[in-house]
Amino acid sequence: MDTRTATANIGVVGLAVMGSNLARNLASREGNTVAVYNRTYARTEELLSEHPEAGFVASETIDDFVASLAKPRTAIIMVQAGAGTDAVIGQLVERFEPGDIIVDGGNANFHDTIARESRIAPTGIHFVGAGISGGEEGALHGPSIMPGGSAESYETLGPILASIAAVAEGEPCVTHVGTDGAGHFVKMIHNGIEYADMQLIAEAYDLLRTVGSLQPAAIADVFARWNEGPLESYLIEITAEVLRQVDPATGRPFVDIVLDQAGSKGTGVWTVQNALDLGVPVGGIGEAVFARAVSSKPAQREAVQRIVNSRPTVQEADASFADDVAKALYASKVVAYAQGFDAIIAGAEKYGWDIHKDRIAKIWRGGCIIRAQFLNRIAEAYDENPDIATLLEAPYFAQAVADGEAAWRRVVATSALSGVPVPGFSSALSYYDSLAVKRLPAALVQGQRDFFGAHTYKRVDKPGTFHTLWSGDRTEVEVPGH
């Protein structure tokens, strides 16, 4: 190996679009010299020819790549999650030394990150799972970055990541999230919230079009107006752009020529699966995942459409309908984020992570897909009281929901009467009502469980755990040891 090339303070393995853009971002920042390596060297050559200004230190072999890195060696892996990631990790572990740092910047399952970190830790090499949000543009111009791993590794890695992260209100959108899989866990929750946010926006569009009788260009104007107020966000902004787009081939609105079947890459599903394991209700995220699944079931949709003879009459909307939808969207969005942060809190407790919720909200203010003005309010809520039971009790959000509650109910009722599906809006409202109502029908569920399975129950008037002898004389007995 040629030790004369050990000049790079950071390396990138995997030069597809995300990896290439991240490498270019790193190289554009003062103080960084970037080593690059790709399994197929032709891709490396292509990057070098396209961007000679980056001054990349390129290698044809993994050995030369490792030799090009100054100690402590730090390499960011940007290859496909799964076997590809494991293969590169194995190559680096064979060549790295104690104190060196391997960063997985892909969309890995946080369980895999925990397992990898546990496997690598005995070698003395630091393994970091870093969630990187913002897509191709974010990788190039400034993403939101959520690194896990050891505090020691962050001493070296932190300044490098801060140099390329998005900046919101003067602060880089990166923070040390926690140990082992914490970074990838928080990135997973970010993506789950993203699913919910997108679904709610899509429902708002559908309501404005179906009930409000507005065309896409007019709805784009509504979204642009919303983007100047409390709903200001990247997703609202790009929604207006998408709705303004006209298909050049047909002259029709772009949104009308796109097949109405939404795809999914798995992180939303992971969020729901892990929330179930943690016992955290994330109905807003779940409904967003299921809505994509329903959209992608053409056979079932066509079968029902064949047998349906009539649909409900669409309710007549008045001039205030768009404002009602905006308020319902905001209230539902509060619920989605509250559920997401509940999952972060539960994950931190289960896996022993010291996650600062206010810092997470701050690093999501720039670079990532869910960046929004709204996140400042979340950061303030957790900064004022880190131990609130739910974001819904924070004064700002409690007032926002109270102000929009009547409109929220009108919108959900109008949707039901008009036959417009709004699983996001309606599940968010049901969740809010489930928290707000004094008594839930779960008491009957407990009675049913005790009847068929002797699962026991507790009473409201005295301590202890009880079972009714349903197959006998129906007397109640106390069950010891519960």
Side-chain angles (χ1 to χ4, degrees):
M1 289 188 287
D2 185 357
T3 57
R4 291 176 301 173
T5 61
T7 56
N9 68 312
I10 184 71
V12 176
V13 180
L15 301 177
V17 176
M18 281 290 290
S20 295
N21 282 3
L22 194 71
R24 289 171 57 197
N25 189 348
L26 285 161
S28 71
R29 312 297 170 156
E30 186 176 353
N32 288 339
T33 300
V34 184
V36 292
Y37 170 72
N38 195 74
R39 186 169 57 88
T40 305
Y41 188 61
R43 176 62 195 126
T44 307
E45 291 180 307
E46 184 181 354
L47 179 63
L48 295 177
S49 65
E50 290 174 351
H51 300 286
E53 77 286 350
F56 291 126
V57 179
S59 298
E60 290 192 54
T61 69
I62 193 72
D63 286 325
D64 286 346
F65 171 75
V66 171
S68 71
L69 295 170
K71 297 180 181 180
R73 303 179 185 92
T74 304
I76 303 177
I77 301 171
M78 298 296 292
V79 301
Q80 190 170 5
T85 298
D86 280 323
V88 175
I89 290 172
Q91 290 178 314
L92 294 178
V93 168
E94 288 176 2
R95 293 161 175 83
F96 273 19
E97 299 172 353
D100 291 346
I101 303 165
I102 300 172
V103 183
D104 177 7
N107 259 345
N109 187 307
F110 79 95
H111 291 292
D112 293 339
T113 304
I114 291 174
R116 287 165 178 155
E117 196 278 336
S118 177
R119 188 169 65 247
I120 293 168
T123 68
I125 297 168
H126 299 287
F127 183 75
V128 174
I132 300 176
S133 178
E136 298 172 11
E137 284 298 304
L140 181 58
H141 299 295
S144 174
I145 311 175
M146 295 149 261
S150 66
E152 183 183 349
S153 67
Y154 195 69
E155 291 178 12
T156 297
L157 189 61
I160 297 172
L161 297 181
S163 76
I164 64 167
V167 176
E169 299 182 23
E171 298 176 300
C173 294
V174 58
T175 190
H176 181 230
V177 176
T179 55
D180 53 64
H184 278 143
F185 179 86
V186 167
K187 174 58 162 59
M188 175 190 75
I189 300 298
H190 163 281
N191 285 21
I193 294 172
E194 179 186 308
Y195 272 59
D197 215 341
M198 293 172 70
Q199 175 64 25
L200 293 170
I201 290 171
E203 291 176 15
Y205 151 76
D206 199 13
L207 286 164
L208 293 174
R209 188 156 193 191
T210 305
V211 179
S213 300
L214 298 179
Q215 290 303 303
I219 300 172
D221 292 338
V222 173
F223 274 86
R225 187 171 68 250
W226 287 354
N227 201 46
E228 296 174 355
L231 283 167
E232 181 274 321
S233 70
Y234 172 71
L235 284 171
I236 293 287
E237 177 188 342
I238 67 168
T239 298
E241 294 299 317
V242 172
L243 290 173
R244 283 199 181 97
Q245 181 73 6
V246 174
D247 175 48
T250 63
R252 297 169 60 192
F254 169 79
V255 72
D256 286 349
I257 58 93
V258 176
L259 186 66
D260 60 338
Q261 296 179 16
S264 168
K265 287 192 174 180
T267 45
V269 175
W270 291 351
T271 300
V272 177
Q273 290 171 334
N274 282 283
L276 287 171
D277 290 339
L278 293 167
V280 178
V282 292
I285 298 170
E287 289 297 345
V289 172
F290 295 143
R292 294 192 189 189
V294 168
S295 77
S296 300
K297 295 290 183 286
Q300 289 93 324
R301 292 172 64 187
E302 290 167 7
V304 172
Q305 289 164 24
R306 281 196 301 270
I307 64 170
V308 170
N309 296 318
S310 64
R311 296 287 293 144
T313 300
V314 175
Q315 301 295 294
E316 187 173 334
D318 59 24
S320 65
F321 184 67
D323 289 337
D324 274 3
V325 174
K327 290 175 182 176
L329 175 57
Y330 195 84
S332 299
K333 184 182 175 88
V334 172
V335 168
Y337 279 72
Q339 292 176 346
F341 274 89
D342 286 349
I344 289 174
I345 293 165
E349 183 176 341
K350 178 173 180 177
Y351 297 104
W353 298 321
D354 183 22
I355 296 179
H356 297 263
K357 284 89 69 181
D358 57 330
R359 295 181 193 172
I360 299 304
K362 285 181 178 179
I363 69 170
W364 287 350
R365 292 177 302 174
C368 68
I369 304 303
I370 63 172
R371 58 186 183 266
Q373 177 192 123
F374 179 84
L375 287 154
N376 274 319
R377 308 289 82 80
I378 295 178
E380 290 165 2
Y382 281 120
D383 185 49
E384 290 171 8
N385 183 2
D387 300 319
I388 52 175
T390 170
L391 273 177
L392 290 164
E393 73 167 311
Y396 175 87
F397 292 114
Q399 188 61 53
V401 171
D403 290 345
E405 183 178 349
W408 197 7
R409 296 188 188 284
R410 285 194 296 269
V411 166
V412 171
T414 298
S415 302
L417 292 171
S418 301
V420 178
V422 286
F425 280 11
S426 56
S427 73
L429 181 58
S430 291
Y431 176 81
Y432 175 74
D433 282 337
S434 294
L435 296 181
V437 73
K438 292 291 186 184
R439 188 163 171 81
L440 291 167
L444 178 58
V445 173
Q446 282 300 87
Q448 294 167 332
R449 294 178 73 238
D450 190 60
F451 190 106
F452 67 68
H455 290 293
T456 74
Y457 54 89
K458 295 183 184 297
R459 296 177 58 100
V460 299
D461 54 354
K462 60 182 178 181
T465 301
F466 302 90
H467 168 58
T468 291
L469 303 175
W470 297 104
S471 298
D473 60 6
R474 302 205 170 186
T475 56
E476 181 180 80
V477 296
E478 186 169 0
V479 181
H482 283 261

